[in-house]
Amino acid sequence: MRIDDYSYCSQNTIIFSKSSVGKFCSIGYNVQIGVPEHPLNFFSTSPTIYRQSKLSKYCDWAQDDINISVRIENDVWIGSNAIILQGVNIGNGAIVAAGAVVTKDVPPYAVVGGVPAKLIKWRVPEELREKLEKSKWWKHDLTWIEQFGAEIYNNRENSVKMENVER
C-alpha cells in the first residue's frame, strides 16, 4: 500500500494491501478500499473450505483474498462509507459519493455514486478537464500550483469559466 503527499484518510478507513493513493486525495470516514474477495466459481465461498480443507486443491484461488490492486490517482475525494472493490482505477479529480460501491473504473473528473456506482455528472467542463490532465499540476510544488490555479480563475479570456459547470 502506498499513499502519496498531501493525501489523508479519516478515521476507520481501511486500505488493503496492493492499493495506491495519489497526491492531494481526501478519503472520508469508514471507507474500504481493495476489500478482500472470495471465489465465485467454487462450490463454497468459505475460506475454511476453499483454503484450509482437503478440497482446496480443487479451488484455483490465490492464498491471499486480495488479488488485484486498486489505483486511486490524484486529487480524488472519496466520501464516507464508500467501498472500492479490487481492480478499480479511480481517475484524477474524481469524486466518489458517500456510501457508493465502486465496481468499475471511474474516469478523471467524474462524480459517481450509488450501488453500484454510476456517473452522476462531470465535476468540471471538458475543456478544463483536458487542461488539468495536461498540466499534471499535482507533480509541481505548491507555488506553481497556486499560480496555475490563479490562471484558471483570473484569466477569463484564456481559461474555462467555472460558472459553466453543471450543478
Side-chain angles (χ1 to χ4, degrees):
M1 181 196 49
R2 185 195 61 158
I3 299 177
D4 270 343
D5 299 336
Y6 308 105
S7 291
Y8 71 90
C9 299
S10 298
Q11 288 181 327
N12 299 319
T13 287
I14 302 170
I15 302 175
F16 290 90
S17 64
K18 300 183 184 174
S19 297
S20 64
V21 177
K23 295 181 178 184
F24 299 98
C25 293
S26 303
I27 301 176
Y29 295 92
N30 306 309
V31 171
Q32 296 183 51
I33 299 172
V35 296
E37 297 179 5
H38 299 255
L40 301 178
N41 60 350
F42 197 60
F43 85 94
S44 174
T45 60
S46 171
T48 301
I49 302 296
Y50 71 79
R51 182 172 293 133
Q52 298 168 353
S53 78
K54 292 178 182 176
L55 295 170
S56 65
K57 65 184 177 185
Y58 300 111
C59 184
D60 185 21
W61 190 253
Q63 281 296 94
D64 188 350
D65 290 333
I66 302 169
N67 299 307
I68 308 169
S69 64
V70 171
R71 188 179 82 214
I72 298 169
E73 293 188 356
N74 305 284
D75 193 37
V76 172
W77 176 20
I78 301 175
S80 295
N81 301 304
I83 298 172
I84 315 297
L85 297 186
Q86 289 183 41
V88 169
N89 294 312
I90 300 179
N92 294 312
I95 296 174
V96 175
V101 176
V102 183
T103 62
K104 296 179 180 172
D105 290 356
V106 176
Y109 304 96
V111 178
V112 300
V115 179
K118 294 190 180 343
L119 179 67
I120 295 171
K121 67 179 187 174
W122 295 101
R123 227 182 96 194
V124 295
E126 184 176 4
E127 184 180 338
L128 183 53
R129 291 194 306 261
E130 291 171 1
K131 184 173 186 169
L132 293 168
E133 284 292 283
K134 185 178 178 184
S135 74
K136 298 194 183 317
W137 63 264
W138 50 87
K139 291 186 174 185
H140 297 275
D141 64 34
L142 290 174
T143 301
W144 188 97
I145 293 169
E146 289 170 344
Q147 291 171 347
F148 177 73
E151 174 189 320
I152 289 172
Y153 290 101
N154 292 328
N155 190 350
R156 302 268 186 213
E157 295 173 9
N158 297 323
S159 66
V160 175
K161 293 181 182 178
M162 291 305 292
E163 295 84 44
N164 294 334
V165 176
E166 287 183 28
R167 297 196 193 270

